[in-house]
C-alpha cells in the first residue's frame, strides 16, 4: 500500500523490479466511461484489487497499491488548485494536464533547461520532473506542439502502461490496464466557463461548432487505440440528488457507520430549485444520448453496467467485467462495502420533491427518474405522462450498434452557422443560449 509512504519510499518502490514491471506489455486495455456520482470510483477501487488488473485505482484508502491516478485525464481547468499545489509530487507527472501544461514550456526552453541543465529558480517546483519532461521533449522537435496529437500519443502510452514514460507503474502481475474518463469532460455541454474540455466544440446534437485540429479528442484517441469500453451509469436523477446531498452534508461516500450517522443527521430539509433540477436532468439526458450515439458509431467492444444492478449483485457484476476483460474469474474481492447516499426516503430528504416531479413532467423526462421517484410521480402526475420504461431498455453486443434509445425525445437541430465566430468562448456562449432556448 502507498498510504502514509514518503515520496522517496514511493520512488524506491517504483524502481524495485520485484514490485513493478518496467516494460509491461499489457494484453488488454479498457476505459471506464462514467458520470459524476455514478459509483464509478467504487468500481475502479474494487477492480484494482484484482492481481491482473491495473485500474488506476490508487488513492489514500487502505489496500491501495502502485498504479496510475484514478482521474489521470482530469482537465486542468477542472482541477487547477490541485495541479498547482501538487507540482512537487512525483505522481503529478502522470496526469495529462501536467504534461499539457508543462511540456510546451520545456520544449521552448529545451536547450537551457534540458541540455545545459540550467533551470531558473522560479521553476524549481518541477525540478524533480525534468528527466521525465526532457525525455518527452526529445520526442518533439517541433516548436509549436499540437495538443491534439500530443493527447493521442499520451493516451496510447497510458493504455500500454508504458512505465518508461513516467514514474507511475503497474504491478508485476498486471495483464490489463484500465483508466476512467468522466463524460462531463467531453463536449461543450459541461465545459464550464473555461471551456477546455476534450472535443470541446461538439454539441450534444453531434454538431461541431468549430473545426479545430489542435483540440484534444477522446473520440479520436478511442478510434486509434481501440480499448474495450465499460460504460457505467446510474439513474440520472439519483446522480443529481446524490451530488446535492453530498454538497449539503459534506458526506461524499457512505462506507462506515459513522458516515451513515452523519448523513442521517444532516440529510434532512434539503431543497432543489425545481426548474434548475429539471433543466439539468434534461441536459444530462441529452448528454447521455450524445455519449451513447458516439459509442454506437465506433467499432469498439462495449460493456454496459449500471450502479444499481452492481450494488444489488456485486459478484455477478464483477464476474461480467472479468469475462469482458479476459482475466481470471476466481479472485475473491473485498467489496469495500458502500451504501447509496440517497437510499433513505426521498420525501424526508427533499422538501420540494413534488415541485421537481412537476417540472420533470413539463420537460417530458419523468421516465428517466428512478423507481422511487416514479412511485411518487404516480401520486401527482397522470399515467399518460409517464413514458414506458420498456422503451428505454438497452442491449450490449460487441462492436458498433450496441445500444438502442428512444429517439422521440430531446432531438436537437444540428444546423448551426458559426463561420463568423472565431473566439471559442463566444462560440460556447452561443451554444449555451441555443440549449436554453430549446429547453
Amino acid at each position: 500500500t502507498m498510504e502514509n509512504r514518503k515520496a522517496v519510499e514511493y520512488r524506491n518502490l517504483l524502481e524495485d523490479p520485484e514490485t513493478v514491471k518496467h516494460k509491461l506489455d499489457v494484453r488488454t486495455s479498457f476505459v471506464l466511461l462514467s458520470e459524476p456520482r455514478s459509483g464509478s470510483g467504487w468500481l475502479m477501487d474494487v477492480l484494482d484489487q484484482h492481481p491482473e488488473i491495473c485500474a488506476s485505482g490508487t488513492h489514500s484508502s487502505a489496500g491501495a497499491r502502485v498504479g496510475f491516478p484514478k482521474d489521470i485525464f482530469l482537465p486542468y481547468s477542472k482541477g487547477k488548485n490541485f495541479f498547482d499545489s501538487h507540482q512537487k509530487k512525483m505522481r503529478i507527472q502522470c496526469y495529462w494536464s501536467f504534461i499539457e501544461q508543462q511540456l510546451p514550456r520545456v520544449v521552448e526552453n529545451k536547450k537551457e533547461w534540458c541540455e545545459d541543465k540550467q533551470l531558473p529558480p522560479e521553476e524549481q517546483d518541477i525540478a524533480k520532473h525534468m528527466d521525465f519532461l526532457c525525455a518527452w521533449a526529445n520526442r518533439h522537435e517541433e516548436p509549436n506542439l499540437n495538443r491534439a496529437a500530443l493527447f493521442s500519443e499520451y493516451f496510447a502510452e497510458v493504455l500500454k502502461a508504458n512505465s518508461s514514460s513516467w514514474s507511475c507503474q503497474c504491478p508485476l502481475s498486471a495483464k490489463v490496464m484500465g483508466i476512467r474518463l468522466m463524460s462531463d469532460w467531453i463536449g461543450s455541454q459541461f465545459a464550464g466557463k473555461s471551456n477546455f474540455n476534450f472535443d470541446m466544440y461538439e454539441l450534444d446534437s453531434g454538431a461541431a461548432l468549430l473545426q479545430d485540429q489542435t483540440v484534444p479528442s477522446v473520440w479520436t484517441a478511442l478510434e486509434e487505440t481501440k480499448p474495450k469500453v465499460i460504460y457505467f451509469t446510474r439513474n440520472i436523477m439519483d446522480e443529481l440528488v446524490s451530488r446535492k446531498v453530498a454538497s449539503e452534508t459534506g458526506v461524499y461516500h457512505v462506507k462506515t457507520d459513522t458516515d451513515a450517522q452523519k448523513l442521517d443527521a444532516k440529510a434532512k430539509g434539503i431543497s432543489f430549485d425545481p426548474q434548475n433540477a429539471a433543466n439539468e436532468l434534461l441536459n444530462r439526458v441529452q448528454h447521455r444520448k450524445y455519449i451513447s450515439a458516439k459509442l454506437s458509431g465506433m467499432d469498439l467492444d462495449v460493456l454496459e453496467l449500471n450502479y444499481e444492478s452492481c450494488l444489488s449483485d456485486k459478484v455477478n457484476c464483477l464476474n461480467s467485467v472479468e469475462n469482458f476483460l479476459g482475466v481470471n474469474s476466481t479472485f475473491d474481492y473485498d467489496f469495500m462495502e458502500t451504501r447509496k447516499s440517497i437510499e433513505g426516503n426521498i420525501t424526508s430528504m427533499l422538501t420540494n420533491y413534488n415541485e421537481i416531479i412537476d417540472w420533470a413532467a413539463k420537460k417530458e423526462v419523468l421516465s428517466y427518474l428512478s423507481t422511487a421517484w416514479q412511485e411518487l410521480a404516480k401520486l401527482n402526475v397522470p399515467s399518460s405522462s409517464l413514458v414506458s420504461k420498456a422503451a428505454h431498455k438497452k442491449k450490449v453486443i460487441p462492436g458498433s450498434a450496441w445500444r438502442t434509445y428512444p429517439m422521440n425525445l430531446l432531438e436537437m437541430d444540428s444546423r448551426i452557422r458559426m463561420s463568423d465566430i472565431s473566439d471559442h468562448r463566444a462560440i460556447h456562449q452561443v451554444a449555451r443560449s441555443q440549449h436554453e432556448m430549446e429547453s
Side-chain angles (χ1 to χ4, degrees):
T1 176
M2 292 293 93
E3 191 171 14
N4 297 322
R5 282 188 179 271
K6 297 179 180 178
V8 64
E9 294 173 335
Y10 174 56
R11 186 164 192 172
N12 289 340
L13 181 59
L14 290 173
E15 294 172 353
D16 182 356
E18 295 182 0
T19 304
V20 294
K21 194 172 183 178
H22 285 270
K23 294 183 179 179
L24 188 66
D25 184 19
V26 296
R27 68 186 183 201
T28 304
S29 58
F30 74 92
V31 172
L32 188 142
L33 185 59
S34 190
E35 299 165 350
R37 305 302 298 175
S38 67
S40 61
W42 167 81
L43 181 61
M44 291 294 278
D45 289 345
V46 173
L47 286 175
D48 196 56
Q49 297 173 29
H50 196 293
E52 296 179 358
I53 300 176
C54 183
S56 313
T58 302
H59 62 107
S60 60
S61 295
R65 65 186 198 185
V66 179
F68 287 75
K70 185 185 301 179
D71 289 324
I72 193 168
F73 291 103
L74 177 68
Y76 180 79
S77 61
K78 297 184 185 298
K80 185 178 183 301
N81 291 338
F82 168 78
F83 290 117
D84 290 348
S85 63
H86 285 72
Q87 295 285 2
K88 295 183 179 180
K89 302 290 185 181
M90 285 299 295
R91 285 172 57 77
I92 201 70
Q93 67 180 236
C94 307
Y95 287 87
W96 155 248
S97 290
F98 178 80
I99 295 174
E100 180 187 34
Q101 294 291 313
Q102 300 298 339
L103 188 57
R105 300 169 59 245
V106 175
V107 169
E108 183 180 354
N109 297 279
K110 181 179 173 183
K111 185 179 187 309
E112 179 185 358
W113 293 7
C114 297
E115 296 174 11
D116 299 339
K117 298 189 181 301
Q118 298 294 320
L119 191 65
E122 63 272 17
E123 303 293 345
Q124 289 305 307
D125 280 356
I126 63 170
K128 64 170 62 178
H129 304 295
M130 287 311 298
D131 288 345
F132 153 76
L133 288 170
C134 290
W136 274 79
N138 287 333
R139 304 183 196 178
H140 300 276
E141 300 297 333
E142 65 274 22
N144 297 313
L145 286 175
N146 183 301
R147 291 170 57 244
L150 181 63
F151 176 73
S152 292
E153 178 186 356
Y154 168 87
F155 194 94
E157 291 294 300
V158 168
L159 292 183
K160 292 176 185 175
N162 188 340
S163 57
S164 63
S165 297
W166 35 61
S167 67
C168 296
Q169 316 218 9
C170 287
L172 274 167
S173 59
K175 297 177 182 178
V176 175
M177 172 62 186
I179 57 91
R180 177 173 73 167
L181 269 170
M182 289 296 185
S183 61
D184 281 24
W185 303 344
I186 307 171
S188 67
Q189 178 69 270
F190 299 106
K193 294 180 179 179
S194 58
N195 196 27
F196 285 110
N197 264 8
F198 303 112
D199 302 278
M200 67 183 183
Y201 293 125
E202 281 198 3
L203 292 171
D204 280 353
S205 65
L209 293 173
L210 182 70
Q211 297 296 329
D212 187 341
Q213 300 303 314
T214 68
V215 174
S217 171
V218 164
W219 307 122
T220 298
L222 289 174
E223 285 277 22
E224 293 174 350
T225 56
K226 295 195 179 303
K228 294 189 174 185
V229 176
I230 299 173
Y231 188 32
F232 192 74
T233 59
R234 181 182 185 181
N235 179 269
I236 297 176
M237 193 64 208
D238 283 356
E239 288 180 352
L240 301 185
V241 174
S242 176
R243 189 183 319 143
K244 180 69 172 180
V245 170
S247 64
E248 293 282 337
T249 65
V251 180
Y252 287 86
H253 303 286
V254 183
K255 296 182 179 180
T256 66
D257 290 340
T258 301
D259 292 337
Q261 291 168 5
K262 183 178 179 182
L263 182 68
D264 289 342
K266 292 188 174 184
K268 292 180 175 64
I270 296 173
S271 64
F272 263 113
D273 180 304
Q275 185 174 0
N276 287 345
N279 284 336
E280 185 167 3
L281 177 61
L282 179 67
N283 289 339
R284 291 198 170 276
V285 168
Q286 291 174 172
H287 196 60
R288 189 175 285 187
K289 286 183 64 181
Y290 159 72
I291 297 294
S292 298
K294 296 294 287 191
L295 286 175
S296 66
M298 303 173 74
D299 185 22
L300 298 172
D301 285 346
V302 178
L303 171 67
E304 183 179 25
L305 295 173
N306 65 71
Y307 176 69
E308 289 81 8
S309 62
C310 281
L311 209 59
S312 64
D313 190 347
K314 302 181 184 70
V315 173
N316 184 60
C317 173
L318 269 294
N319 284 345
S320 67
V321 176
E322 291 167 337
N323 292 333
F324 183 63
L325 299 179
V327 297
N328 190 308
S329 60
T330 61
F331 184 70
D332 187 18
Y333 295 95
D334 172 6
F335 287 109
M336 298 181 292
E337 208 58 46
T338 187
R339 314 170 198 180
K340 289 185 181 180
S341 61
I342 58 169
E343 63 183 5
N345 194 328
I346 293 172
T347 59
S348 67
M349 283 189 176
L350 302 176
T351 59
N352 62 335
Y353 64 91
N354 282 332
E355 294 176 297
I356 296 172
I357 291 172
D358 290 342
W359 273 98
K362 291 178 183 178
K363 296 293 182 180
E364 297 183 343
V365 288
L366 273 176
S367 62
Y368 290 92
L369 272 59
S370 64
T371 302
W373 283 92
Q374 295 273 356
E375 293 301 317
L376 289 172
K378 289 177 182 178
L379 302 175
N380 297 280
V381 182
S383 58
S384 59
S385 298
L386 299 175
V387 180
S388 170
K389 293 181 71 175
H392 300 278
K393 288 185 177 178
K394 295 162 266 186
K395 59 184 179 179
V396 179
I397 59 174
S400 61
W402 61 277
R403 180 184 289 102
T404 58
Y405 263 82
M407 297 305 292
N408 61 322
L409 294 176
L410 315 174
E411 293 297 331
M412 294 179 61
D413 186 359
S414 62
R415 294 168 297 178
I416 184 168
R417 297 181 180 181
M418 308 298 292
S419 57
D420 58 334
I421 301 179
S422 58
D423 180 72
H424 71 268
R425 287 181 177 82
I427 293 173
H428 188 65
Q429 183 58 47
V430 171
R432 289 289 182 199
S433 299
Q434 178 175 330
H435 283 315
E436 290 171 3
M437 288 188 291
E438 291 173 344
S439 61

